[in-house]
Amino acid sequence: MKLDATDLRYITADEFRVLTAVEIGSKNHEVVPTPLIAQISGLRSGGVNKLIGSLAKRNLIAKVQNSKYDGYRLTYGGYDYLAMRALSKRDSMHSVGNQIGVGKEADVYVVADVEGNEMVLKLHRLGRISFRAIKEKRDYLGKRKSASWMYMSRLAAEKEWAFMKILYEHDFPVPKPIDHARHCLLMEAIDAYPLRQVSDIPSPGKLYSTLMDIIVRFASAGLIHGDYNEFNILIKRDSGDPVVIDFPQMVSTSHANAEWYFNRDVECIRTFFRRRFKYESSLYPRFRNASSEGDGENFQLDVVVSASGWSKKEQKVLEEYMDAVKEDEPQGTLDDSDTDEEEEEESEPEEEEVEDAIDGNNDEHKVDSEGRAEAADEETVTTQITVALSQLVGEDDGFTEP
């Protein structure tokens, strides 16, 4: 879905409280019961129903038809608003501009701070295009049969933030990360254009060598980009230097398939230069050499990132998701010309998620195999949540693993 920030300034504090209650309830319910929303929000029942109606009209939450009980689910629009409010409360972002990019699983917008300095806001939307491809391959999601796309999107944003922050601190050619919240990532705006838009350059050999050197430098620091192609490389207008973007699929050189990912990155660049610039070189890096040599770096950034809070468990969940998607999705990012087709497919995942909810994977009065009470302990849980809700509203922790 497209981001529409028009109503963001008109959402009241109570409406955000109800929206946050739906988000909290989504951790254990695919469809959050209306009484539970009222209980978590701590507002009067009659008032909550009015607020729910207002949020539903703005498509920030959606009522699930034919459900076994009256309830709502959080939409990506509502998740967008929660994330942007968190960024706004931290004075990281003040206004939202035009959309400047669309990918398979992310939207990119121009935004600005209070002083009018332009930045880039990236909103991860995993499951939008790949939903049908991965629908039958969701074993790694365990009991989360709805595929919890917002949780996966938050994981992708957290991973990209962790890697981009570490890479920028070690002078790699990446955008400067500014802030992140839930599934959103805020970074500096760079005056550049994608490599795929370049039709001719005076010295393709020089750029080819620079891009290969970046691959080697990544590997010497213990990392492999995993999706290193013309869609994820920007060329600065003033200097012509490359800038690398898009890091949710980045893996460590100790990964079981590290050599395959490395060789794929190298081959993507070789293929692009051969087709676009009719340039082909017999010189290209090999994984064994690249992972053992470097520019003198005596650190392993994959270890540094793990120490920063990005856990192996989260890494495994996201990698398994990416692997399942890659089996059925073409390499690279969608062209701008694919935007219309992408928007048509966007609504389908939501419809299929609703069908899963109707199947009763998370019935209101059942206890799952992990011992999670959904009815008996609900009152105790929601009482604790209500106490902490005032602290949670507007914060950026978002979905945690159900």
Side-chain angles (χ1 to χ4, degrees), residues 45-86:
S45 180
V48 169
N49 289 332
K50 182 178 179 180
L51 296 171
I52 287 176
S54 176
L55 294 173
K57 287 181 179 179
R58 293 185 170 101
N59 294 321
L60 303 181
I61 59 176
K63 186 176 180 64
V64 179
Q65 301 297 329
N66 301 322
S67 178
K68 295 181 179 180
Y69 52 86
D70 182 46
Y72 293 80
R73 61 177 177 83
L74 186 67
T75 66
Y76 260 121
Y79 207 38
D80 292 344
Y81 273 35
L82 288 170
M84 288 191 296
R85 184 171 189 256

Side-chain angles (χ1 to χ4, degrees), residues 129-286:
I129 296 301
S130 58
F131 184 88
R132 288 178 295 182
I134 197 178
K135 178 170 93 168
E136 302 301 329
K137 305 173 183 177
R138 301 187 290 195
D139 292 342
Y140 65 91
L141 289 170
K143 296 299 176 183
R144 297 188 304 272
K145 296 300 183 181
S146 67
S148 191
W149 301 114
M150 293 179 191
Y151 168 67
M152 299 298 294
S153 295
R154 183 182 69 81
L155 282 186
E158 286 185 353
K159 179 179 180 181
E160 185 161 22
W161 166 262
F163 277 97
M164 188 182 295
K165 190 171 184 292
I166 294 297
L167 291 171
Y168 182 80
E169 290 173 352
H170 289 84
D171 297 323
F172 280 82
V174 302
K176 178 183 177 180
I178 297 174
D179 200 355
H180 82 291
R182 291 178 172 86
H183 65 311
C184 296
L185 183 65
L186 194 62
M187 67 190 84
E188 68 170 330
I190 299 176
D191 187 15
Y193 47 85
L195 178 59
R196 65 181 177 83
Q197 294 181 0
V198 179
S199 58
D200 186 32
I201 53 176
S203 179
K206 180 181 178 180
L207 180 58
Y208 173 88
S209 178
T210 302
L211 294 178
M212 291 301 180
D213 287 345
I214 293 174
I215 293 180
V216 173
R217 191 179 172 203
F218 276 142
S220 67
L223 298 173
I224 299 172
H225 187 278
D227 197 14
Y228 195 75
N229 54 54
E230 66 272 20
F231 297 95
N232 295 325
I233 298 173
L234 305 179
I235 304 298
K236 292 184 177 179
R237 294 183 187 276
D238 54 356
S239 62
D241 295 333
V243 178
V244 185
I245 59 174
D246 196 15
F247 305 101
Q249 66 291 315
M250 185 167 262
V251 298
S252 168
T253 50
S254 60
H255 190 278
N257 298 321
E259 185 170 1
W260 183 84
Y261 283 115
F262 180 90
N263 292 337
R264 187 179 67 173
D265 283 354
V266 171
E267 191 58 33
C268 281
I269 299 301
R270 296 188 69 203
T271 300
F272 175 75
F273 273 76
R274 182 171 62 249
R275 292 177 178 175
R276 180 64 58 87
F277 307 123
K278 310 301 180 185
Y279 176 87
E280 187 168 8
S281 174
S282 60
L283 300 176
Y284 57 92
R286 272 75 170 180

Side-chain angles (χ1 to χ4, degrees), residues 355-367:
E355 293 176 2
D356 285 343
I358 295 173
D359 289 338
N361 292 319
N362 282 323
D363 289 347
E364 183 181 7
H365 300 291
K366 287 185 179 180
V367 178

